[in-house]
Amino acid sequence: QVQLAESGGGLVQAGGSLRLSCAASGRTFSFYAMGWFRQAPGKEREFVAAISASASITRYTDSVKGRFTISRDGAKNTVYLQMNSLKPEDTAVYYCATARGIGYFSEVASWGQGTQVTVSS
């Protein structure tokens, strides 16, 4: 179990960029795969990106591939989501999450509180 805290959300124009951060408490961060999910009003929460504990493997949903990059810094116990070329359809609350492996995000161990990302036309 870890506690997660997202930051970096905000309001940007279409085509702009944001970098989200998720800071984890404790020293167990390095044992978990990390992921980002998002949820727009009236829609189900959807997977966005994930990174393995060793940072050797990453996965992205098709709609963000080539625009978003997930990374992690073990020394800072932090995972990042760099979002470029943002579109209005990216507007959502973004959540970070942990799982026991990059293929196990159907059973999330911990959720952050979420950070709002709004992209204007």
Side-chain angles (χ1 to χ4, degrees):
Q1 295 184 350
V2 296
Q3 292 186 336
L4 307 172
E6 301 99 330
S7 62
L11 173 64
V12 298
Q13 294 184 347
S17 298
L18 284 173
R19 188 174 78 159
L20 305 183
S21 299
C22 177
S25 63
R27 292 188 174 186
T28 61
F29 173 80
S30 63
F31 292 104
Y32 293 95
M34 301 294 300
W36 288 93
F37 291 73
R38 65 187 181 187
Q39 187 169 24
K43 299 179 66 177
E44 294 185 351
R45 190 171 299 185
E46 67 171 341
F47 170 81
V48 177
I51 186 167
S52 64
S54 66
S56 61
I57 304 172
T58 58
R59 295 173 58 195
Y60 301 92
T61 191
D62 287 345
S63 64
V64 309
K65 191 172 184 179
R67 299 188 297 120
F68 291 11
T69 303
I70 188 170
S71 61
R72 65 192 298 162
D73 185 335
K76 295 182 178 180
N77 288 353
T78 301
V79 63
Y80 304 95
L81 186 68
Q82 178 67 47
M83 304 185 294
N84 298 327
S85 301
L86 283 162
K87 304 175 181 179
E89 66 190 58
D90 296 317
T91 295
V93 177
Y94 283 70
Y95 300 88
C96 65
T98 66
R100 60 176 174 149
I102 196 167
Y104 292 85
F105 277 98
S106 61
E107 297 183 8
V108 170
S110 301
W111 291 101
Q113 84 286 353
T115 186
Q116 177 71 48
V117 172
T118 303
V119 184
S120 62
S121 301

